[in-house]
Amino acid sequence: MSKSIQKINKKKEEISKIEKHRKRLIKLLFSDCEVVEGSFIDVLVRCGRSGCHCEKEPVHPVTRLSWWENKKLKNKIVRVADRQRIRILSDNYKKHKQAMSALVKLNEKEKETIKTVIKLKTIKYE
């Protein structure tokens, strides 16, 4: 078996691994889980009431959901009763964004692998 055929077979294995990874990413992206756009963050704030002990430094814990909309950062206070659910939905959104990014990188890797296979198969006409 020639070296180029061995290299092509190796590239076929790479493509097979890429396809398996792509299927896992697509499965996540099309799953039925709900998402909420934004970053979930716990912060300390001042309440604004005069005479409160928070006037000197912020001490009241608040949970916010932050996201970008029309090039502006938007924030929404998350009710205490909703915190656990919104944290999960925000984490789901983060996983979806990561999967999209991984899918883009995977497509680029696949493209480069296919280009290499084409080069290996190319002969010179003389």
Side-chain angles (χ1 to χ4, degrees):
M1 191 183 295
S2 71
K3 285 187 178 185
S4 64
I5 292 175
Q6 288 175 340
K7 288 179 182 178
I8 290 171
N9 287 338
K10 221 175 197 181
K11 295 299 177 184
K12 283 181 182 178
E13 289 174 22
E14 279 183 42
I15 293 289
S16 179
K17 287 178 185 176
I18 288 170
E19 289 303 316
K20 286 178 185 176
H21 192 191
R22 175 181 283 111
K23 281 183 181 180
R24 286 193 303 271
L25 293 171
I26 296 291
K27 187 177 179 180
L28 168 68
L29 290 169
F30 285 103
S31 66
D32 291 338
C33 70
E34 292 180 306
V35 300
V36 65
E37 183 180 7
S39 298
F40 189 88
I41 186 166
D42 293 316
V43 293
L44 297 176
V45 297
R46 292 183 175 99
C47 67
R49 291 184 305 211
S50 61
C52 182
H53 64 286
C54 72
E55 283 182 323
K56 294 180 183 169
E57 85 180 66
V59 294
H60 299 292
V62 172
T63 301
R64 283 195 303 223
L65 192 63
S66 301
W67 69 95
W68 289 95
E69 190 175 293
N70 299 325
K71 299 182 182 179
K72 291 183 181 178
L73 184 63
K74 302 285 184 169
N75 290 293
K76 180 142 181 95
I77 302 296
V78 178
R79 292 185 295 269
V80 174
D82 296 336
R83 284 183 185 166
Q84 185 177 0
R85 181 172 181 268
I86 297 301
R87 180 185 302 269
I88 291 167
L89 297 181
S90 176
D91 287 345
N92 288 347
Y93 179 73
K94 188 176 184 179
K95 288 175 189 171
H96 277 66
K97 281 186 72 171
Q98 289 170 344
M100 280 294 299
S101 178
L103 197 55
V104 168
K105 289 177 185 173
L106 209 57
N107 288 339
E108 190 59 36
K109 184 177 179 181
E110 183 180 47
K111 178 181 168 185
E112 293 305 314
T113 304
I114 291 170
K115 279 183 177 180
T116 303
V117 169
I118 291 170
K119 271 187 179 178
L120 289 169
K121 292 169 70 172
T122 302
I123 59 168
K124 291 199 182 222
Y125 176 72
E126 296 179 33

